[in-house]
Amino acid sequence: MGDQEALRKIITTLAVKNEEIQNFIYSLKQMMQNVEANSSRAQEDLEGEFQSLYALLDELKDEMLMKIKQDRASRTYELQAQLAACAKALESSEELLEAANQALGTANHHDFPQAAKQIKDSVTMAPAFRLSLKAKVSDNMSHLMVDFAQERRLLQALAFLPVPSTPEIDLAESLVADNCVTLAWRMPDEDSKIDHYVLEYRRTNFEGPPRAKEDQPWMVVEGIKGTEYTLSGLKFDMKYMNFRVRACNKAVAGEFSEPVTLETRAFMFRLDASTCHQNLRVEELSVEWDATGGKVQDVKVREKDGKGRTASPANSPARVVQSPKRMPSGRGGRDRFTAESYTVLGDTLIDGDDHYWEVRYDRDSKAFGVGVAYRSLGKFDQLGKTSASWCLHLNNWLQVSFSAKHANKAKVLDVPVPDCIGVYCNFHEGFLSFYNARTKQLLHTFKAKFTQPVLPAFTVWCGSFHVSSGLQVPSAVKCLQKRNSTASSSNASLP
């Protein structure tokens, strides 16, 4: 039995090895086919490039020959015209010379004075004395000579394109701000053959050099002409981003640069669907008020077990999505917001630093509110009605009002109501500011002393809204908050 088992193992090993060799043979044959196809393509490209070069040289040759012919024809015409004029002047001069000699032979004749005067007048007007004896054009054609020694050296230096060098990312010139990343790099040597660059990036939660295996795929940006590129409108839903870049010429791409990791610090949270009001339907970061939400839930529960108990969070129509490093869901069904507290909270506690997020709401909503609240906010409590929450509240029901609310006190805001509101919270300094997210106009600032961590808080009645998280504090907001922290704002906190 032992020999049979050993022989089976040998057979299995041989079968595996045979399969490996067969696969390798197939791979070699495929590579031979690829070599044939790629070399044929390279040969065709090379012949095409040389034919293009020949055509260009022939075109330049024809143009330069035409220039020589035109210059020769022009000079020949000028010289022939001047030659004809000289021949005519010479003929006239010879006639005058003969006439003068004849007149001189009759010097004793009484008509001699008159003849001499006529000859003198004719000589004065003769073309020979008005003719320039300097050639109008030169016979020198040196301006049409050529010296292609430099071009010949360039042609002799023609070679296959080299593989581009590897770029080096310049971290000192790279910047992460306003949910944008500007990445800069440089080449170790100047290379005029580079046509463009390719940038790749991916999100990660791991600091340091990029790992070989990562859940997130590399995203590609091609056709970059310069040595700097800005990625804008990013959502920083992870802590870091990896970057790498490579140079490309017309034929081949070089190696990727050494990857770098940049921190993308931002406030990332999701909505806590397990504790929101049953009339609020939560999908990711979108919320819609549903008048039948609670009733439908009760019907489903009754149909399931025939009991008249209140629906638990596990059975809620709102979807529960737990974020990494988020607030544990410690509330029971009895703590779900109810009655007229149409509230939903974020799932990430704010207990330090500064944070920013935005919310865009449906203008047809009858009521909408955004702010922060302690986790201990009562299930019947409406935002701004107790000391545990701060918010901006828009009421479109019966009479329109836009106000800042805290501890059941309201301050009417005399500012245009934006459709997208930015929220800034600096926990340690106690600032809670609201901005027009598009123009960064300051709407209102609460100056509070938070006694416990807070959560993003929202409320809506007969409407909907969408939250944008993973945002950095905008530079404009940072500047305004710095000014706000050193001077009392006209939009002071509620008394």
Side-chain angles (χ1 to χ4, degrees):
M1 291 295 293
D3 292 340
Q4 292 180 353
E5 184 64 27
L7 187 58
R8 288 192 185 95
K9 289 183 179 180
I10 292 174
I11 292 173
T12 301
T13 302
L14 288 174
V16 171
K17 179 57 67 176
N18 288 346
E19 185 177 359
E20 290 178 353
I21 294 174
Q22 289 175 353
N23 290 337
F24 185 60
I25 290 174
Y26 175 79
S27 176
L28 289 176
K29 290 181 178 179
Q30 189 65 42
M31 289 180 67
M32 290 177 63
Q33 293 177 3
N34 292 342
V35 166
E36 186 67 25
N38 291 337
S39 61
S40 297
R41 189 183 307 112
Q43 183 175 340
E44 291 176 2
D45 291 344
L46 181 63
E47 290 178 351
E49 288 294 331
F50 269 98
Q51 288 298 330
S52 175
L53 193 58
Y54 296 153
L56 178 61
L57 289 174
D58 286 339
E59 183 180 349
L60 289 174
K61 176 184 174 182
D62 291 342
E63 290 179 358
M64 297 177 77
L65 286 174
M66 181 59 67
K67 176 66 176 176
I68 293 175
K69 292 177 181 179
Q70 290 175 346
D71 198 277
R72 179 178 63 189
S74 175
R75 289 172 185 246
T76 301
Y77 175 81
E78 291 291 342
L79 291 173
Q80 286 179 342
Q82 197 170 13
L83 181 61
C86 287
K88 186 176 181 181
L90 180 61
E91 182 181 357
S92 175
S93 179
E94 288 176 345
E95 291 176 353
L96 284 174
L97 179 60
E98 184 179 354
N101 286 328
Q102 291 177 357
L104 186 62
T106 60
N108 298 322
H109 197 273
H110 66 278
D111 291 334
F112 176 76
Q114 181 67 27
K117 183 178 184 303
Q118 289 179 350
I119 291 173
K120 182 179 179 182
D121 292 341
S122 296
V123 169
T124 303
M125 299 300 295
F129 292 95
R130 292 184 286 112
L131 184 70
S132 172
L133 297 181
K134 180 180 180 181
K136 290 185 177 181
V137 294
S138 170
D139 58 354
N140 189 341
M141 304 290 281
S142 60
H143 66 290
L144 294 175
M145 302 301 289
V146 296
D147 179 7
F148 290 150
Q150 181 179 355
E151 288 76 7
R152 192 174 292 111
R153 286 193 295 271
L154 290 174
L155 289 173
Q156 290 172 344
L158 289 178
F160 295 104
L161 281 172
V163 177
S165 302
T166 303
E168 300 172 356
I169 296 178
D170 189 350
L171 290 177
E173 296 296 325
S174 300
L175 177 67
V176 179
D178 296 323
N179 282 85
C180 299
V181 177
T182 297
L183 201 72
W185 58 89
R186 57 178 176 267
M187 297 298 294
D189 302 302
E190 186 176 352
D191 187 351
S192 61
K193 299 293 186 180
I194 291 178
D195 179 70
H196 66 276
Y197 297 90
V198 175
L199 171 66
E200 293 190 354
Y201 65 96
R202 68 183 177 186
R203 297 173 173 84
T204 180
N205 279 321
F206 295 92
E207 187 179 7
R211 305 185 305 168
K213 292 185 177 180
E214 190 68 62
D215 295 335
Q216 300 296 321
W218 286 102
M219 307 300 291
V220 183
V221 181
E222 297 182 332
I224 303 173
K225 293 299 183 180
T227 56
E228 180 179 298
Y229 190 79
T230 298
L231 296 165
S232 58
L234 298 173
K235 180 179 180 181
F236 293 154
D237 51 2
M238 291 189 173
K239 295 179 180 179
Y240 304 95
M241 290 182 70
N242 303 143
F243 297 90
R244 62 186 186 184
V245 65
R246 63 178 174 180
C248 305
N249 54 35
K250 292 289 187 180
V252 66
E255 294 293 328
F256 275 108
S257 65
E258 191 70 25
V260 299
T261 301
L262 298 180
E263 183 180 9
T264 53
R265 178 179 173 272
F267 183 43
M268 181 65 194
F269 68 92
R270 295 184 177 89
L271 298 176
D272 184 11
S274 65
T275 61
C276 71
H277 195 286
Q278 288 190 6
N279 284 113
L280 299 183
R281 186 167 66 248
V282 178
E283 291 291 339
E284 297 293 340
L285 290 172
S286 296
V287 176
E288 184 175 0
W289 191 84
D290 184 359
T292 63
K295 295 178 181 178
V296 171
Q297 180 62 29
D298 288 342
V299 170
K300 288 182 178 180
V301 172
R302 291 176 185 276
E303 290 178 350
K304 183 176 180 180
D305 53 20
K307 297 180 181 180
R309 57 181 174 83
T310 303
S312 67
N315 296 325
S316 170
R319 187 165 64 155
V320 179
V321 183
Q322 192 69 290
S323 307
K325 200 178 178 181
R326 299 295 188 232
M327 176 187 70
S329 180
R331 293 175 180 263
R334 60 182 179 85
D335 288 324
R336 176 182 290 278
F337 290 103
T338 187
E340 294 184 358
S341 180
Y342 301 110
T343 303
V344 59
L345 301 176
D347 65 353
T348 303
L349 291 168
I350 299 173
D351 57 4
D353 298 327
D354 52 352
H355 303 78
Y356 180 84
W357 61 98
E358 293 179 354
V359 56
R360 186 180 67 254
Y361 65 94
D362 181 1
R363 282 189 173 275
D364 293 330
S365 302
K366 291 185 178 179
F368 168 76
V370 56
V372 299
Y374 293 144
R375 189 183 175 192
S376 59
L377 183 68
K379 65 179 182 179
F380 296 105
D381 295 340
Q382 300 179 31
L383 290 187
K385 291 294 186 69
T386 69
S387 60
S389 62
W390 298 255
C391 76
L392 288 195
H393 188 269
L394 173 65
N395 184 8
N396 280 330
W397 178 245
L398 298 180
Q399 185 175 358
V400 177
S401 66
F402 186 45
S403 58
K405 291 186 175 183
H406 171 62
N408 208 26
K409 295 180 181 179
K411 178 181 179 180
V412 176
L413 302 179
D414 186 19
V415 294
V417 182
D419 62 348
C420 189
I421 297 175
V423 185
Y424 170 85
C425 181
N426 187 317
F427 183 84
H428 288 312
E429 294 187 12
F431 281 111
L432 178 65
S433 298
F434 299 87
Y435 289 86
N436 181 323
R438 305 189 191 284
T439 66
K440 299 303 181 285
Q441 176 194 9
L442 179 63
L443 304 175
H444 182 78
T445 294
F446 289 102
K447 185 66 175 74
K449 185 176 182 180
F450 299 121
T451 58
Q452 55 182 286
V454 295
L455 292 164
F458 310 88
T459 183
V460 67
W461 177 50
C462 296
S464 62
F465 64 86
H466 177 79
V467 177
S468 296
S469 70
L471 302 181
Q472 294 185 303
V473 180
S475 299
V477 171
K478 283 185 177 180
C479 181
L480 289 169
Q481 287 299 141
K482 185 176 181 180
R483 191 185 311 161
N484 194 27
S485 63
T486 56
S488 57
S489 173
S490 59
N491 289 322
S493 59
L494 294 174

